[in-house]
Amino acid sequence: MTAAPGTSEPDDAAPPDVVPAAAAPDAGTPLGRPGLPRILLTLVVLASAWFALQAIHELQAIVGPLLLVINLMILAYPVQARLTRRGFPRVIGAIASALLVFAILLAIVLALVWSILQLVAVLPDYQFRFLALYSTLVDQVERWGITETQVLDQLQGVLSPANVAGLVRGALSGVTGALSWLAVVATIVFVVVIDSISLPERALAALRGNESVARSLFAFTHGVRRYWVVSSAFGLIVAVIDVFVLLALDVPLALVWGVLAFITNFIPNIGFVIGVIPPALMALLANDARTALLVVVLYSAVNFTIQAVIQPKFTGESVGVTATMSLLSLLLWAWVLGPLGALLALPATLLAKSLLIDPDPQLRWVNAYISSSPDDVDEPPGAPGSPEAAVPAVVAVAEDA
């Protein structure tokens, strides 16, 4: 029926295929977003990430020490904040935190140098025992149809004089590289300490500029500091127990293996394996197979009880990622940053997570698969409150750790 002139059709007479404007897809949703197809956008993101990782890999001599210094300064900053709150000039607090960082680095370097010197002094005493074990191994291999000549032929290229000379030259260049590395670290510490003097003002500016990213970084510093403190405390406990176990079993170089156990405690997933193999081999050389087996069993018991049962109760959510993500982080950052990346794998992953995922509500769903707590999908990082109210927490972060 045709409407009379001057009148309008009723609303229910509208054609059924017309969709009201309010029901149309939102331009901000994936269905209504113009631009690249999702598969092409994913490939672009993956290619960009690969390019960034390749660039970091090429600059690992700079990025690795920088990341180490940032972690150490996060660990030492509460000293600076506490001195500042007690009325000392900020310069005094910055110097105190720098001295603490240098003390940590010096202790690590001295422990490693002492351990290497102990190994060099003691290992020659067991060369005859090693030859005896070698003969036993050769006899066993010959029973499998492989002769000693075949094995030596395969090793001839590896053990040639030219290769031995190359190893010596590599060791000498390694010493030179270590000295250069320490010089780079000292320079970065000096620069970062200068910038830390104005950290409260910079924190306020960051909160006003991009509050979500700033709060995510504050949560990262809190979690990574707790991670280092708790891991160091329990690593020391594990190392002390391991030393007593080795002393009770009369295994040589017990203190050296204790230092190794402490350092490998910071390597996720495979650190225990790296820490148990050398003392087990030493027990095999100095004692017998039964002692070596006892070393492996007791090390495993101590490691499981402390690091798998007790330590997570104190660490809480500071680790921040699942066990699978922890292993993938180790493999990735060990390739990107070298051996230092194995020690900094978890902090590096947490930093990337706090910069790329946590501040963005549209990407926070990724935490459901990589975060140690699924609640991170719904909870924004950082403490609530205005930017001005959050600045004292940045300065007094030591009390919150």
Side-chain angles (χ1 to χ4, degrees):
M1 179 177 181
T2 305
T7 63
S8 60
E9 296 261 354
D11 292 343
D12 54 5
D17 57 342
V18 176
V19 180
D26 186 7
T29 62
L31 293 176
R33 181 190 296 130
L36 297 175
R38 176 169 297 181
I39 181 63
L40 185 57
L41 184 61
T42 302
L43 293 176
V44 170
V45 171
L46 292 178
S48 301
W50 176 253
F51 178 79
L53 290 175
Q54 285 281 5
I56 296 175
H57 177 68
E58 294 296 327
L59 298 173
Q60 61 177 275
I62 299 175
V63 178
L66 176 61
L67 187 59
L68 174 64
V69 171
I70 290 176
N71 278 266
L72 293 177
M73 285 302 300
I74 290 175
L75 186 62
Y77 183 76
V79 175
Q80 180 177 347
R82 192 176 298 274
L83 290 176
T84 302
R85 291 199 310 272
R86 293 190 176 184
F88 289 90
R90 291 187 180 181
V91 176
I92 300 299
I95 293 175
S97 61
L99 291 177
L100 178 57
V101 170
F102 281 121
I104 295 174
L105 290 173
L106 182 62
I108 295 174
V109 171
L110 290 179
L112 291 176
V113 171
W114 175 82
S115 300
I116 293 174
L117 293 177
Q118 291 293 315
L119 283 173
V120 172
V122 172
L123 285 181
D125 297 337
Y126 297 96
Q127 57 181 341
F128 297 106
R129 174 63 175 167
F130 175 78
L131 292 175
L133 288 175
Y134 173 77
S135 300
T136 304
L137 180 61
V138 169
D139 294 339
Q140 182 64 39
V141 170
E142 288 180 347
R143 295 177 183 176
W144 297 338
I146 303 175
T147 64
E148 181 180 4
T149 303
Q150 292 174 329
V151 176
L152 292 178
D153 289 340
Q154 294 295 327
L155 296 178
Q156 185 176 4
V158 179
L159 300 178
S160 64
N163 287 337
V164 173
L167 291 176
V168 173
R169 289 192 299 268
L172 294 176
S173 63
V175 173
T176 305
L179 295 177
S180 302
W181 182 83
L182 289 175
V184 172
V185 170
T187 304
I188 296 176
V189 170
F190 179 75
V191 174
V192 172
V193 164
I194 294 177
D195 290 338
S196 69
I197 297 176
S198 58
L199 181 59
E201 290 79 11
R202 297 177 186 276
L204 177 59
L207 283 165
R208 289 173 174 170
N210 195 323
E211 183 175 349
S212 60
V213 174
R215 293 191 182 280
S216 179
L217 289 176
F218 297 158
F220 160 75
T221 57
H222 176 85
V224 80
R225 182 183 297 111
R226 183 177 177 86
Y227 162 76
W228 283 115
V229 171
V230 174
S231 297
S232 299
F234 281 95
L236 183 60
I237 294 174
V238 170
V240 171
I241 296 176
D242 289 344
V243 168
F244 280 109
V245 168
L246 296 176
L247 290 175
L249 296 176
D250 197 23
V251 177
L253 301 175
L255 291 178
V256 173
W257 310 132
V259 172
L260 179 63
F262 176 76
I263 294 176
T264 55
N265 177 72
F266 298 103
I267 302 177
N269 299 105
I270 66 172
F272 162 73
V273 178
I274 299 175
V276 73
I277 291 178
L281 292 177
M282 177 57 70
L284 183 61
L285 289 174
N287 301 76
D288 49 28
R290 176 179 174 275
T291 306
L293 181 60
L294 282 175
V295 169
V296 174
V297 171
L298 294 177
Y299 258 62
S300 302
V302 171
N303 180 83
F304 176 80
T305 303
I306 294 181
Q307 296 184 342
V309 177
I310 301 177
Q311 182 174 339
K313 299 181 182 299
F314 292 86
T315 306
E317 302 301 331
S318 61
V319 175
V321 294
T322 61
T324 302
M325 193 63 191
S326 177
L327 177 60
L328 295 177
S329 300
L330 170 66
L331 299 176
L332 174 65
W333 293 110
W335 170 76
V336 174
L337 298 177
L340 188 59
L343 294 174
L344 300 175
L346 286 179
T349 299
L350 293 179
L351 178 60
K353 177 174 172 288
S354 65
L355 288 174
L356 302 177
I357 296 177
D358 291 341
D360 191 348
Q362 295 183 351
L363 290 178
R364 211 171 292 154
W365 61 268
V366 179
N367 285 327
Y369 301 98
I370 68 173
S371 179
S372 58
S373 174
D375 295 336
D376 291 344
V377 177
D378 302 320
E379 297 179 1
S386 63
E388 292 77 10
V391 173
V394 179
V395 181
V397 69
E399 296 180 350
D400 299 330

